[in-house]
Amino acid sequence: MTDPPMLELRRATPADAPALASVHIRSWQETYAGLMPDGVLESMTDQAALDRRTQLWQGILTKGAELVFVAVRGGEVVGFTSGAAGTFLTSNSLTDDFTADAELSTLYLLKSAQGRGTGRALLRALAAELAARGNRSLLLWVLANNPARAFYEHLGGAVVGERQEKVSGAVLNEVAYGWSDLRALL
């Protein structure tokens, strides 16, 4: 029996946009089936959505405003995370006693990469870079019915808010997790 290929973490480049889009779409299909209405999921994971996601990631990676890390195993991107200082933090649905200076925008893994430390490694890479840039706290939003919430709780995230968001005509309930000290993720 051979050992599985080593996991490589690195900053994403514009050349990674198609792989990011593919993981984005595939992870939605693998993770969100049954968690959101089928029509919403289908409209967000078809070929047109893949093309839109590729363009989206090309733009994000070209501008460089967000930090994006990829996890590569055996030459294939199997997951990614992105985030930035001070983005998307304007929400009155957070608890009054929590503020964050950075946000985790995405953390997506293929099912084959889940439960292998890949998500933790990606989150640590992002947290380390944010901390090195002077950020102290982190916020993320996740679907309220997403079983991945246990992952964030296991890493010390505390529920600090909730909101409803309309996506393709459906209302989705989300919760915010926060870390008041980013170093807890390191």
Side-chain angles (χ1 to χ4, degrees), residues 32 80-81 104-109 119-120 123 138 140-143 146-159 175-179 185:
Y32 294 130
F80 68 92
T81 191
L104 173 73
S105 305
T106 64
L107 178 58
Y108 292 114
L109 303 174
R120 181 186 298 257
L123 188 51
L138 185 69
L140 69 90
W141 289 97
V142 62
L143 285 175
N146 188 340
R149 288 178 58 177
F151 169 77
Y152 300 117
E153 291 167 3
H154 179 72
L155 294 177
V159 175
V175 294
Y177 281 90
W179 289 263
L185 291 167

PDB file of all heavy atoms in Angstrom, residues 32 80-81 104-109 119-120 123 138 140-143 146-159 175-179 185:
ATOM      1  N   TYR A  32     -23.989  20.726  -0.298  1.00  0.00           N
ATOM      2  CA  TYR A  32     -25.247  21.435  -0.075  1.00  0.00           C
ATOM      3  C   TYR A  32     -26.496  20.709  -0.557  1.00  0.00           C
ATOM      4  O   TYR A  32     -27.596  21.214  -0.356  1.00  0.00           O
ATOM      5  CB  TYR A  32     -25.188  22.834  -0.685  1.00  0.00           C
ATOM      6  CG  TYR A  32     -24.178  23.726  -0.003  1.00  0.00           C
ATOM      7  CD1 TYR A  32     -23.252  24.440  -0.727  1.00  0.00           C
ATOM      8  CD2 TYR A  32     -24.141  23.836   1.380  1.00  0.00           C
ATOM      9  CE1 TYR A  32     -22.330  25.258  -0.105  1.00  0.00           C
ATOM     10  CE2 TYR A  32     -23.223  24.640   2.018  1.00  0.00           C
ATOM     11  CZ  TYR A  32     -22.316  25.357   1.267  1.00  0.00           C
ATOM     12  OH  TYR A  32     -21.399  26.153   1.895  1.00  0.00           O
ATOM     13  N   PHE A  80      -9.737  25.089  -1.165  1.00  0.00           N
ATOM     14  CA  PHE A  80      -9.197  26.448  -1.138  1.00  0.00           C
ATOM     15  C   PHE A  80      -9.901  27.258  -0.060  1.00  0.00           C
ATOM     16  O   PHE A  80     -10.972  26.892   0.427  1.00  0.00           O
ATOM     17  CB  PHE A  80      -9.330  27.132  -2.497  1.00  0.00           C
ATOM     18  CG  PHE A  80     -10.735  27.450  -2.918  1.00  0.00           C
ATOM     19  CD1 PHE A  80     -11.299  28.686  -2.625  1.00  0.00           C
ATOM     20  CD2 PHE A  80     -11.498  26.531  -3.620  1.00  0.00           C
ATOM     21  CE1 PHE A  80     -12.595  28.986  -3.009  1.00  0.00           C
ATOM     22  CE2 PHE A  80     -12.788  26.823  -4.018  1.00  0.00           C
ATOM     23  CZ  PHE A  80     -13.351  28.055  -3.710  1.00  0.00           C
ATOM     24  N   THR A  81      -9.260  28.339   0.297  1.00  0.00           N
ATOM     25  CA  THR A  81      -9.842  29.301   1.223  1.00  0.00           C
ATOM     26  C   THR A  81      -9.481  30.696   0.766  1.00  0.00           C
ATOM     27  O   THR A  81      -8.474  30.884   0.076  1.00  0.00           O
ATOM     28  CB  THR A  81      -9.363  29.058   2.677  1.00  0.00           C
ATOM     29  OG1 THR A  81     -10.151  29.849   3.557  1.00  0.00           O
ATOM     30  CG2 THR A  81      -7.904  29.399   2.858  1.00  0.00           C
ATOM     31  N   LEU A 104     -13.258  35.508   6.796  1.00  0.00           N
ATOM     32  CA  LEU A 104     -13.048  34.317   5.989  1.00  0.00           C
ATOM     33  C   LEU A 104     -14.196  34.299   4.986  1.00  0.00           C
ATOM     34  O   LEU A 104     -15.356  34.168   5.371  1.00  0.00           O
ATOM     35  CB  LEU A 104     -13.086  33.065   6.867  1.00  0.00           C
ATOM     36  CG  LEU A 104     -13.050  31.725   6.147  1.00  0.00           C
ATOM     37  CD1 LEU A 104     -11.665  31.457   5.604  1.00  0.00           C
ATOM     38  CD2 LEU A 104     -13.462  30.623   7.095  1.00  0.00           C
ATOM     39  N   SER A 105     -13.885  34.463   3.711  1.00  0.00           N
ATOM     40  CA  SER A 105     -14.928  34.515   2.674  1.00  0.00           C
ATOM     41  C   SER A 105     -15.337  33.131   2.209  1.00  0.00           C
ATOM     42  O   SER A 105     -16.519  32.873   1.996  1.00  0.00           O
ATOM     43  CB  SER A 105     -14.438  35.310   1.462  1.00  0.00           C
ATOM     44  OG  SER A 105     -14.013  36.595   1.841  1.00  0.00           O
ATOM     45  N   THR A 106     -14.354  32.256   2.004  1.00  0.00           N
ATOM     46  CA  THR A 106     -14.635  30.912   1.506  1.00  0.00           C
ATOM     47  C   THR A 106     -13.722  29.892   2.158  1.00  0.00           C
ATOM     48  O   THR A 106     -12.581  30.190   2.509  1.00  0.00           O
ATOM     49  CB  THR A 106     -14.412  30.812  -0.031  1.00  0.00           C
ATOM     50  OG1 THR A 106     -13.030  31.040  -0.314  1.00  0.00           O
ATOM     51  CG2 THR A 106     -15.275  31.788  -0.791  1.00  0.00           C
ATOM     52  N   LEU A 107     -14.223  28.694   2.294  1.00  0.00           N
ATOM     53  CA  LEU A 107     -13.434  27.520   2.649  1.00  0.00           C
ATOM     54  C   LEU A 107     -14.185  26.340   2.053  1.00  0.00           C
ATOM     55  O   LEU A 107     -15.216  25.918   2.579  1.00  0.00           O
ATOM     56  CB  LEU A 107     -13.271  27.356   4.164  1.00  0.00           C
ATOM     57  CG  LEU A 107     -12.489  26.121   4.622  1.00  0.00           C
ATOM     58  CD1 LEU A 107     -11.077  26.101   4.032  1.00  0.00           C
ATOM     59  CD2 LEU A 107     -12.430  26.051   6.137  1.00  0.00           C
ATOM     60  N   TYR A 108     -13.694  25.857   0.925  1.00  0.00           N
ATOM     61  CA  TYR A 108     -14.358  24.772   0.212  1.00  0.00           C
ATOM     62  C   TYR A 108     -13.384  23.633  -0.032  1.00  0.00           C
ATOM     63  O   TYR A 108     -12.249  23.846  -0.454  1.00  0.00           O
ATOM     64  CB  TYR A 108     -14.920  25.253  -1.137  1.00  0.00           C
ATOM     65  CG  TYR A 108     -16.068  26.212  -0.983  1.00  0.00           C
ATOM     66  CD1 TYR A 108     -15.954  27.535  -1.378  1.00  0.00           C
ATOM     67  CD2 TYR A 108     -17.271  25.790  -0.430  1.00  0.00           C
ATOM     68  CE1 TYR A 108     -17.010  28.421  -1.228  1.00  0.00           C
ATOM     69  CE2 TYR A 108     -18.332  26.663  -0.271  1.00  0.00           C
ATOM     70  CZ  TYR A 108     -18.200  27.975  -0.676  1.00  0.00           C
ATOM     71  OH  TYR A 108     -19.249  28.841  -0.515  1.00  0.00           O
ATOM     72  N   LEU A 109     -13.855  22.424   0.231  1.00  0.00           N
ATOM     73  CA  LEU A 109     -13.061  21.217   0.023  1.00  0.00           C
ATOM     74  C   LEU A 109     -13.881  20.201  -0.746  1.00  0.00           C
ATOM     75  O   LEU A 109     -15.090  20.078  -0.520  1.00  0.00           O
ATOM     76  CB  LEU A 109     -12.686  20.570   1.359  1.00  0.00           C
ATOM     77  CG  LEU A 109     -11.938  21.382   2.386  1.00  0.00           C
ATOM     78  CD1 LEU A 109     -11.802  20.575   3.672  1.00  0.00           C
ATOM     79  CD2 LEU A 109     -10.588  21.781   1.866  1.00  0.00           C
ATOM     80  N   GLY A 119      -8.846  21.231   5.642  1.00  0.00           N
ATOM     81  CA  GLY A 119      -9.540  22.471   6.007  1.00  0.00           C
ATOM     82  C   GLY A 119      -8.807  23.219   7.103  1.00  0.00           C
ATOM     83  O   GLY A 119      -8.641  24.436   7.047  1.00  0.00           O
ATOM     84  N   ARG A 120      -8.362  22.495   8.107  1.00  0.00           N
ATOM     85  CA  ARG A 120      -7.614  23.112   9.206  1.00  0.00           C
ATOM     86  C   ARG A 120      -6.326  23.753   8.679  1.00  0.00           C
ATOM     87  O   ARG A 120      -5.980  24.865   9.065  1.00  0.00           O
ATOM     88  CB  ARG A 120      -7.288  22.070  10.261  1.00  0.00           C
ATOM     89  CG  ARG A 120      -6.525  22.636  11.452  1.00  0.00           C
ATOM     90  CD  ARG A 120      -6.096  21.514  12.396  1.00  0.00           C
ATOM     91  NE  ARG A 120      -7.228  20.810  12.944  1.00  0.00           N
ATOM     92  CZ  ARG A 120      -7.683  20.985  14.173  1.00  0.00           C
ATOM     93  NH1 ARG A 120      -7.100  21.838  14.970  1.00  0.00           N
ATOM     94  NH2 ARG A 120      -8.711  20.295  14.597  1.00  0.00           N
ATOM     95  N   LEU A 123      -7.211  26.937   6.768  1.00  0.00           N
ATOM     96  CA  LEU A 123      -7.633  27.999   7.682  1.00  0.00           C
ATOM     97  C   LEU A 123      -6.435  28.556   8.447  1.00  0.00           C
ATOM     98  O   LEU A 123      -6.314  29.764   8.632  1.00  0.00           O
ATOM     99  CB  LEU A 123      -8.702  27.467   8.633  1.00  0.00           C
ATOM    100  CG  LEU A 123      -9.383  28.486   9.536  1.00  0.00           C
ATOM    101  CD1 LEU A 123      -9.915  29.680   8.761  1.00  0.00           C
ATOM    102  CD2 LEU A 123     -10.513  27.818  10.303  1.00  0.00           C
ATOM    103  N   LEU A 138     -11.393  37.371  13.492  1.00  0.00           N
ATOM    104  CA  LEU A 138     -11.902  36.788  12.248  1.00  0.00           C
ATOM    105  C   LEU A 138     -13.385  36.461  12.383  1.00  0.00           C
ATOM    106  O   LEU A 138     -13.848  36.045  13.447  1.00  0.00           O
ATOM    107  CB  LEU A 138     -11.130  35.500  11.927  1.00  0.00           C
ATOM    108  CG  LEU A 138     -11.423  34.808  10.602  1.00  0.00           C
ATOM    109  CD1 LEU A 138     -10.917  35.655   9.433  1.00  0.00           C
ATOM    110  CD2 LEU A 138     -10.762  33.439  10.566  1.00  0.00           C
ATOM    111  N   LEU A 140     -16.760  34.626   9.986  1.00  0.00           N
ATOM    112  CA  LEU A 140     -17.215  33.929   8.791  1.00  0.00           C
ATOM    113  C   LEU A 140     -18.701  33.666   8.910  1.00  0.00           C
ATOM    114  O   LEU A 140     -19.254  33.617   9.998  1.00  0.00           O
ATOM    115  CB  LEU A 140     -16.469  32.613   8.574  1.00  0.00           C
ATOM    116  CG  LEU A 140     -16.733  31.475   9.545  1.00  0.00           C
ATOM    117  CD1 LEU A 140     -17.878  30.601   9.061  1.00  0.00           C
ATOM    118  CD2 LEU A 140     -15.498  30.638   9.727  1.00  0.00           C
ATOM    119  N   TRP A 141     -19.366  33.513   7.766  1.00  0.00           N
ATOM    120  CA  TRP A 141     -20.785  33.161   7.697  1.00  0.00           C
ATOM    121  C   TRP A 141     -20.910  31.759   7.130  1.00  0.00           C
ATOM    122  O   TRP A 141     -20.186  31.386   6.198  1.00  0.00           O
ATOM    123  CB  TRP A 141     -21.546  34.144   6.809  1.00  0.00           C
ATOM    124  CG  TRP A 141     -21.685  35.491   7.424  1.00  0.00           C
ATOM    125  CD1 TRP A 141     -20.895  36.593   7.200  1.00  0.00           C
ATOM    126  CD2 TRP A 141     -22.670  35.888   8.381  1.00  0.00           C
ATOM    127  NE1 TRP A 141     -21.337  37.641   7.961  1.00  0.00           N
ATOM    128  CE2 TRP A 141     -22.422  37.245   8.698  1.00  0.00           C
ATOM    129  CE3 TRP A 141     -23.720  35.234   9.007  1.00  0.00           C
ATOM    130  CZ2 TRP A 141     -23.196  37.952   9.606  1.00  0.00           C
ATOM    131  CZ3 TRP A 141     -24.496  35.941   9.908  1.00  0.00           C
ATOM    132  CH2 TRP A 141     -24.233  37.291  10.207  1.00  0.00           C
ATOM    133  N   VAL A 142     -21.845  30.976   7.672  1.00  0.00           N
ATOM    134  CA  VAL A 142     -22.073  29.615   7.212  1.00  0.00           C
ATOM    135  C   VAL A 142     -23.582  29.337   7.269  1.00  0.00           C
ATOM    136  O   VAL A 142     -24.284  29.912   8.103  1.00  0.00           O
ATOM    137  CB  VAL A 142     -21.265  28.607   8.082  1.00  0.00           C
ATOM    138  CG1 VAL A 142     -21.710  28.640   9.523  1.00  0.00           C
ATOM    139  CG2 VAL A 142     -21.330  27.195   7.535  1.00  0.00           C
ATOM    140  N   LEU A 143     -24.053  28.477   6.375  1.00  0.00           N
ATOM    141  CA  LEU A 143     -25.459  28.095   6.434  1.00  0.00           C
ATOM    142  C   LEU A 143     -25.773  27.499   7.803  1.00  0.00           C
ATOM    143  O   LEU A 143     -25.008  26.670   8.324  1.00  0.00           O
ATOM    144  CB  LEU A 143     -25.794  27.065   5.358  1.00  0.00           C
ATOM    145  CG  LEU A 143     -25.920  27.551   3.923  1.00  0.00           C
ATOM    146  CD1 LEU A 143     -26.145  26.370   2.984  1.00  0.00           C
ATOM    147  CD2 LEU A 143     -27.046  28.554   3.791  1.00  0.00           C
ATOM    148  N   ASN A 146     -25.749  23.700   7.929  1.00  0.00           N
ATOM    149  CA  ASN A 146     -24.570  23.049   7.385  1.00  0.00           C
ATOM    150  C   ASN A 146     -23.853  22.253   8.476  1.00  0.00           C
ATOM    151  O   ASN A 146     -23.434  22.819   9.488  1.00  0.00           O
ATOM    152  CB  ASN A 146     -23.619  24.100   6.802  1.00  0.00           C
ATOM    153  CG  ASN A 146     -22.458  23.496   6.047  1.00  0.00           C
ATOM    154  OD1 ASN A 146     -22.119  22.338   6.227  1.00  0.00           O
ATOM    155  ND2 ASN A 146     -21.847  24.297   5.200  1.00  0.00           N
ATOM    156  N   PRO A 147     -23.690  20.949   8.297  1.00  0.00           N
ATOM    157  CA  PRO A 147     -22.992  20.146   9.299  1.00  0.00           C
ATOM    158  C   PRO A 147     -21.546  20.598   9.526  1.00  0.00           C
ATOM    159  O   PRO A 147     -20.958  20.290  10.562  1.00  0.00           O
ATOM    160  CB  PRO A 147     -23.022  18.730   8.718  1.00  0.00           C
ATOM    161  CG  PRO A 147     -24.101  18.728   7.710  1.00  0.00           C
ATOM    162  CD  PRO A 147     -24.211  20.138   7.192  1.00  0.00           C
ATOM    163  N   ALA A 148     -20.967  21.347   8.585  1.00  0.00           N
ATOM    164  CA  ALA A 148     -19.591  21.833   8.741  1.00  0.00           C
ATOM    165  C   ALA A 148     -19.457  22.812   9.904  1.00  0.00           C
ATOM    166  O   ALA A 148     -18.341  23.127  10.316  1.00  0.00           O
ATOM    167  CB  ALA A 148     -19.112  22.495   7.452  1.00  0.00           C
ATOM    168  N   ARG A 149     -20.588  23.255  10.439  1.00  0.00           N
ATOM    169  CA  ARG A 149     -20.524  24.142  11.605  1.00  0.00           C
ATOM    170  C   ARG A 149     -19.720  23.499  12.731  1.00  0.00           C
ATOM    171  O   ARG A 149     -19.010  24.184  13.468  1.00  0.00           O
ATOM    172  CB  ARG A 149     -21.931  24.459  12.109  1.00  0.00           C
ATOM    173  CG  ARG A 149     -22.707  25.387  11.210  1.00  0.00           C
ATOM    174  CD  ARG A 149     -24.092  25.633  11.723  1.00  0.00           C
ATOM    175  NE  ARG A 149     -24.054  26.209  13.075  1.00  0.00           N
ATOM    176  CZ  ARG A 149     -25.123  26.582  13.740  1.00  0.00           C
ATOM    177  NH1 ARG A 149     -26.321  26.445  13.202  1.00  0.00           N
ATOM    178  NH2 ARG A 149     -25.020  27.085  14.954  1.00  0.00           N
ATOM    179  N   ALA A 150     -19.807  22.198  12.864  1.00  0.00           N
ATOM    180  CA  ALA A 150     -19.074  21.499  13.923  1.00  0.00           C
ATOM    181  C   ALA A 150     -17.567  21.707  13.768  1.00  0.00           C
ATOM    182  O   ALA A 150     -16.840  21.795  14.768  1.00  0.00           O
ATOM    183  CB  ALA A 150     -19.411  20.013  13.908  1.00  0.00           C
ATOM    184  N   PHE A 151     -17.085  21.809  12.543  1.00  0.00           N
ATOM    185  CA  PHE A 151     -15.667  22.064  12.278  1.00  0.00           C
ATOM    186  C   PHE A 151     -15.244  23.392  12.892  1.00  0.00           C
ATOM    187  O   PHE A 151     -14.227  23.478  13.582  1.00  0.00           O
ATOM    188  CB  PHE A 151     -15.436  22.053  10.758  1.00  0.00           C
ATOM    189  CG  PHE A 151     -14.088  22.554  10.323  1.00  0.00           C
ATOM    190  CD1 PHE A 151     -12.959  21.758  10.456  1.00  0.00           C
ATOM    191  CD2 PHE A 151     -13.946  23.814   9.766  1.00  0.00           C
ATOM    192  CE1 PHE A 151     -11.712  22.218  10.048  1.00  0.00           C
ATOM    193  CE2 PHE A 151     -12.712  24.279   9.356  1.00  0.00           C
ATOM    194  CZ  PHE A 151     -11.595  23.475   9.497  1.00  0.00           C
ATOM    195  N   TYR A 152     -16.036  24.440  12.662  1.00  0.00           N
ATOM    196  CA  TYR A 152     -15.699  25.761  13.192  1.00  0.00           C
ATOM    197  C   TYR A 152     -15.800  25.786  14.714  1.00  0.00           C
ATOM    198  O   TYR A 152     -14.980  26.427  15.386  1.00  0.00           O
ATOM    199  CB  TYR A 152     -16.592  26.831  12.560  1.00  0.00           C
ATOM    200  CG  TYR A 152     -16.430  26.881  11.058  1.00  0.00           C
ATOM    201  CD1 TYR A 152     -17.493  26.583  10.213  1.00  0.00           C
ATOM    202  CD2 TYR A 152     -15.205  27.199  10.476  1.00  0.00           C
ATOM    203  CE1 TYR A 152     -17.337  26.610   8.834  1.00  0.00           C
ATOM    204  CE2 TYR A 152     -15.043  27.220   9.105  1.00  0.00           C
ATOM    205  CZ  TYR A 152     -16.111  26.925   8.286  1.00  0.00           C
ATOM    206  OH  TYR A 152     -15.956  26.946   6.921  1.00  0.00           O
ATOM    207  N   GLU A 153     -16.777  25.087  15.257  1.00  0.00           N
ATOM    208  CA  GLU A 153     -16.916  25.020  16.710  1.00  0.00           C
ATOM    209  C   GLU A 153     -15.734  24.275  17.333  1.00  0.00           C
ATOM    210  O   GLU A 153     -15.209  24.679  18.363  1.00  0.00           O
ATOM    211  CB  GLU A 153     -18.241  24.354  17.077  1.00  0.00           C
ATOM    212  CG  GLU A 153     -19.433  25.221  16.721  1.00  0.00           C
ATOM    213  CD  GLU A 153     -20.775  24.506  16.769  1.00  0.00           C
ATOM    214  OE1 GLU A 153     -20.820  23.313  17.145  1.00  0.00           O
ATOM    215  OE2 GLU A 153     -21.778  25.149  16.424  1.00  0.00           O
ATOM    216  N   HIS A 154     -15.301  23.204  16.672  1.00  0.00           N
ATOM    217  CA  HIS A 154     -14.155  22.430  17.149  1.00  0.00           C
ATOM    218  C   HIS A 154     -12.895  23.298  17.183  1.00  0.00           C
ATOM    219  O   HIS A 154     -12.022  23.105  18.040  1.00  0.00           O
ATOM    220  CB  HIS A 154     -13.943  21.201  16.261  1.00  0.00           C
ATOM    221  CG  HIS A 154     -12.779  20.355  16.667  1.00  0.00           C
ATOM    222  ND1 HIS A 154     -12.793  19.564  17.797  1.00  0.00           N
ATOM    223  CD2 HIS A 154     -11.557  20.194  16.103  1.00  0.00           C
ATOM    224  CE1 HIS A 154     -11.632  18.948  17.903  1.00  0.00           C
ATOM    225  NE2 HIS A 154     -10.875  19.314  16.893  1.00  0.00           N
ATOM    226  N   LEU A 155     -12.799  24.255  16.273  1.00  0.00           N
ATOM    227  CA  LEU A 155     -11.637  25.146  16.224  1.00  0.00           C
ATOM    228  C   LEU A 155     -11.804  26.385  17.095  1.00  0.00           C
ATOM    229  O   LEU A 155     -11.004  27.310  17.018  1.00  0.00           O
ATOM    230  CB  LEU A 155     -11.358  25.564  14.768  1.00  0.00           C
ATOM    231  CG  LEU A 155     -10.923  24.427  13.848  1.00  0.00           C
ATOM    232  CD1 LEU A 155     -10.746  24.930  12.420  1.00  0.00           C
ATOM    233  CD2 LEU A 155      -9.637  23.781  14.352  1.00  0.00           C
ATOM    234  N   GLY A 156     -12.844  26.390  17.929  1.00  0.00           N
ATOM    235  CA  GLY A 156     -13.014  27.474  18.889  1.00  0.00           C
ATOM    236  C   GLY A 156     -13.864  28.637  18.430  1.00  0.00           C
ATOM    237  O   GLY A 156     -13.966  29.645  19.134  1.00  0.00           O
ATOM    238  N   GLY A 157     -14.494  28.527  17.272  1.00  0.00           N
ATOM    239  CA  GLY A 157     -15.364  29.602  16.802  1.00  0.00           C
ATOM    240  C   GLY A 157     -16.615  29.690  17.660  1.00  0.00           C
ATOM    241  O   GLY A 157     -17.175  28.677  18.055  1.00  0.00           O
ATOM    242  N   ALA A 158     -17.038  30.903  17.945  1.00  0.00           N
ATOM    243  CA  ALA A 158     -18.249  31.142  18.731  1.00  0.00           C
ATOM    244  C   ALA A 158     -19.308  31.776  17.840  1.00  0.00           C
ATOM    245  O   ALA A 158     -18.982  32.615  16.990  1.00  0.00           O
ATOM    246  CB  ALA A 158     -17.945  32.078  19.901  1.00  0.00           C
ATOM    247  N   VAL A 159     -20.556  31.374  17.996  1.00  0.00           N
ATOM    248  CA  VAL A 159     -21.646  31.987  17.237  1.00  0.00           C
ATOM    249  C   VAL A 159     -21.790  33.429  17.710  1.00  0.00           C
ATOM    250  O   VAL A 159     -21.971  33.680  18.905  1.00  0.00           O
ATOM    251  CB  VAL A 159     -22.965  31.210  17.407  1.00  0.00           C
ATOM    252  CG1 VAL A 159     -24.111  31.934  16.723  1.00  0.00           C
ATOM    253  CG2 VAL A 159     -22.828  29.799  16.859  1.00  0.00           C
ATOM    254  N   VAL A 175     -25.460  31.678  10.050  1.00  0.00           N
ATOM    255  CA  VAL A 175     -24.923  32.084  11.339  1.00  0.00           C
ATOM    256  C   VAL A 175     -23.486  32.547  11.127  1.00  0.00           C
ATOM    257  O   VAL A 175     -22.802  32.093  10.214  1.00  0.00           O
ATOM    258  CB  VAL A 175     -24.968  30.957  12.401  1.00  0.00           C
ATOM    259  CG1 VAL A 175     -26.389  30.606  12.760  1.00  0.00           C
ATOM    260  CG2 VAL A 175     -24.216  29.740  11.939  1.00  0.00           C
ATOM    261  N   ALA A 176     -23.062  33.462  11.986  1.00  0.00           N
ATOM    262  CA  ALA A 176     -21.687  33.954  11.948  1.00  0.00           C
ATOM    263  C   ALA A 176     -20.901  33.305  13.071  1.00  0.00           C
ATOM    264  O   ALA A 176     -21.400  33.188  14.202  1.00  0.00           O
ATOM    265  CB  ALA A 176     -21.668  35.469  12.108  1.00  0.00           C
ATOM    266  N   TYR A 177     -19.701  32.877  12.747  1.00  0.00           N
ATOM    267  CA  TYR A 177     -18.754  32.403  13.745  1.00  0.00           C
ATOM    268  C   TYR A 177     -17.639  33.417  13.833  1.00  0.00           C
ATOM    269  O   TYR A 177     -17.225  33.991  12.822  1.00  0.00           O
ATOM    270  CB  TYR A 177     -18.178  31.037  13.371  1.00  0.00           C
ATOM    271  CG  TYR A 177     -19.109  29.908  13.685  1.00  0.00           C
ATOM    272  CD1 TYR A 177     -20.027  29.457  12.746  1.00  0.00           C
ATOM    273  CD2 TYR A 177     -19.088  29.299  14.925  1.00  0.00           C
ATOM    274  CE1 TYR A 177     -20.901  28.432  13.039  1.00  0.00           C
ATOM    275  CE2 TYR A 177     -19.964  28.267  15.231  1.00  0.00           C
ATOM    276  CZ  TYR A 177     -20.862  27.847  14.284  1.00  0.00           C
ATOM    277  OH  TYR A 177     -21.728  26.835  14.580  1.00  0.00           O
ATOM    278  N   GLY A 178     -17.150  33.619  15.037  1.00  0.00           N
ATOM    279  CA  GLY A 178     -16.079  34.576  15.221  1.00  0.00           C
ATOM    280  C   GLY A 178     -15.012  34.070  16.162  1.00  0.00           C
ATOM    281  O   GLY A 178     -15.265  33.250  17.047  1.00  0.00           O
ATOM    282  N   TRP A 179     -13.820  34.565  15.924  1.00  0.00           N
ATOM    283  CA  TRP A 179     -12.679  34.354  16.793  1.00  0.00           C
ATOM    284  C   TRP A 179     -12.188  35.742  17.172  1.00  0.00           C
ATOM    285  O   TRP A 179     -11.734  36.493  16.307  1.00  0.00           O
ATOM    286  CB  TRP A 179     -11.565  33.593  16.091  1.00  0.00           C
ATOM    287  CG  TRP A 179     -11.856  32.153  15.844  1.00  0.00           C
ATOM    288  CD1 TRP A 179     -11.473  31.094  16.612  1.00  0.00           C
ATOM    289  CD2 TRP A 179     -12.594  31.592  14.742  1.00  0.00           C
ATOM    290  NE1 TRP A 179     -11.930  29.927  16.067  1.00  0.00           N
ATOM    291  CE2 TRP A 179     -12.622  30.198  14.908  1.00  0.00           C
ATOM    292  CE3 TRP A 179     -13.231  32.141  13.630  1.00  0.00           C
ATOM    293  CZ2 TRP A 179     -13.265  29.346  14.029  1.00  0.00           C
ATOM    294  CZ3 TRP A 179     -13.868  31.306  12.748  1.00  0.00           C
ATOM    295  CH2 TRP A 179     -13.882  29.916  12.950  1.00  0.00           C
ATOM    296  N   LEU A 185      -6.332  30.230  16.107  1.00  0.00           N
ATOM    297  CA  LEU A 185      -6.355  29.342  14.941  1.00  0.00           C
ATOM    298  C   LEU A 185      -4.956  28.891  14.519  1.00  0.00           C
ATOM    299  O   LEU A 185      -4.824  28.034  13.660  1.00  0.00           O
ATOM    300  CB  LEU A 185      -7.047  30.040  13.766  1.00  0.00           C
ATOM    301  CG  LEU A 185      -8.539  30.253  13.953  1.00  0.00           C
ATOM    302  CD1 LEU A 185      -9.079  31.213  12.908  1.00  0.00           C
ATOM    303  CD2 LEU A 185      -9.255  28.928  13.912  1.00  0.00           C
TER     304      LEU A 185
END
